[in-house]
Amino acid sequence: METILAKTLGQENLSAAAEERRQLFSRLLGRLAHEIRNPLSSLDIHVQLLEEDLGDLAPQAKVKLAARVDVIRGELHRLDAIVEQFLRLADPSAPNVTAVDLAKVIGHVCDVLRPEAANRKIELIPHLSGRLPLVEADSDQLIQATLNLVINALQAVDHCGRIELRACRAKGGVDLEVQDTGTGIAAEHLEAIFEPYFTTKVEGNGLGLWIAQQIVAAHGGTIRAANVPGGGAVFRIHLPMRQRNSAHG
Ligand SMILES: Nc1ncnc2c1ncn2[C@@H]1O[C@H](COP(=O)(O)OP(=O)(O)O)[C@@H](O)[C@H]1O
Ligand SMILES: [Mg+2]
């Protein structure tokens, strides 16, 4: 059922039954997101209070605990972003479309994840070839999709390695690639990884790639995964260009 939904979601010619299922699924997602949001904001407030309480502590204890609180806050923000994403998926009328510079998307994602990459001794390398045409897209959604890919890459590399983010002109549009030096993807999983809830991780939720795919599909694009011959995986998002954009660029 979920597999069927995942495959039909985002495609243009939905059958009536599939459309009905999609709407039901959207409502469930929206409901779930709202339910999660309340305890999340309560957690956020308490983290803020904790930070204030830290002021009373001795310097040594303060440093140690402040680092922990930082991690908690970072994760809370990530959860909040996921919930936000679900709310948007649940209400597809919400996308905020502007002319987006993929270089900025890549820059932002690198800024957000560089501390985590540095902790793991993983190089995060952006490659931006020439002047890229702007794409008409929801910038936050593209950032979310790219974050999901790079987070997976960090987890696949785990420790010591390289993640390269590339944006370049491609036939009919723009390509955004995330390539890593990690474990690569088992051949028998290549089809399944985009299905909702498919995960090979003990603590995975199996939603990252599915969400990325939904976002890309909503932009009329495609997302593909492959293994790199020397080891590691590469994910390529292709976004189509509007005619009038490709004429300038
Ligand atoms: N860069 C990658 N290298 C190797 N495997 C990957 C990579 N990205 C995704 N995968 C595989 O795809 C699965 C699904 O990814 P995702 O939907 O993000 O869920 P999760 O990260 O929670 O497992 C992962 O569990 C993993 O097996
Ligand atoms: Mg993931």
Side-chain angles (χ1 to χ4, degrees):
M1 166 80 162
E2 277 149 11
T3 311
I4 297 168
L5 272 173
K7 286 192 175 143
T8 49
L9 270 169
Q11 285 180 4
E12 275 179 20
N13 299 315
L14 293 175
S15 72
E19 173 59 17
E20 202 170 295
R21 284 199 298 271
R22 193 194 67 78
Q23 286 189 11
L24 174 66
F25 200 55
S26 276
R27 280 205 300 278
L28 281 173
L29 276 184
R31 179 76 195 275
L32 186 67
H34 281 296
E35 297 286 350
I36 293 173
R37 188 160 255 188
N38 290 336
L40 262 187
S41 51
S42 159
L43 279 171
D44 195 49
I45 291 166
H46 282 272
V47 168
Q48 279 177 37
L49 292 172
L50 247 183
E51 279 178 328
E52 286 169 23
D53 292 344
L54 288 182
D56 303 335
L57 295 178
Q60 243 186 342
K62 194 155 99 183
V63 169
K64 192 170 155 196
L65 293 186
R68 298 226 162 106
V69 170
D70 270 355
V71 172
I72 295 173
R73 178 130 52 50
E75 294 299 295
L76 274 177
H77 282 170
R78 211 143 66 80
L79 264 176
D80 196 53
I82 291 171
V83 168
E84 180 73 23
Q85 192 56 61
F86 275 132
L87 285 170
R88 285 187 177 215
L89 282 174
D91 178 11
S93 63
N96 175 20
V97 175
T98 57
V100 177
D101 181 357
L102 285 186
K104 288 206 175 124
V105 170
I106 287 180
H108 184 83
V109 169
C110 287
D111 287 347
V112 170
L113 293 177
R114 194 161 279 120
E116 176 68 18
N119 276 343
R120 296 165 176 254
K121 296 197 168 24
I122 297 172
E123 270 186 281
L124 209 51
I125 310 167
H127 297 282
L128 303 163
S129 59
R131 225 165 6 112
L132 288 169
L134 302 176
V135 287
E136 282 184 35
D138 182 312
S139 161
D140 291 343
Q141 289 194 7
L142 284 190
I143 286 171
Q144 180 66 58
T146 312
L147 272 173
N148 290 0
L149 297 186
V150 180
I151 289 168
N152 280 342
L154 285 166
Q155 292 168 335
V157 175
D158 190 44
H159 212 81
C160 294
R162 216 169 48 246
I163 299 171
E164 296 176 75
L165 287 90
R166 218 168 268 120
C168 57
R169 268 173 188 273
K171 204 173 169 204
V174 192
D175 280 351
L176 194 166
E177 265 178 31
V178 177
Q179 182 174 337
D180 65 59
T181 57
T183 54
I185 306 156
E188 67 268 28
H189 293 160
L190 272 169
E191 289 281 316
I193 54 174
F194 292 101
E195 287 175 12
Y197 306 115
F198 176 87
T199 183
T200 55
K201 299 168 193 169
V202 180
E203 295 197 355
N205 61 22
L207 289 175
L209 287 180
W210 179 71
I211 290 173
Q213 191 183 47
Q214 297 310 305
I215 291 170
V216 172
H219 286 86
T222 55
I223 177 167
R224 297 222 151 73
N227 284 310
V228 181
V234 57
F235 285 78
R236 178 183 299 143
I237 292 174
H238 176 79
L239 295 170
M241 196 66 60
R242 290 237 176 131
Q243 214 55 47
R244 59 191 171 86
N245 267 356
S246 56
H248 302 283

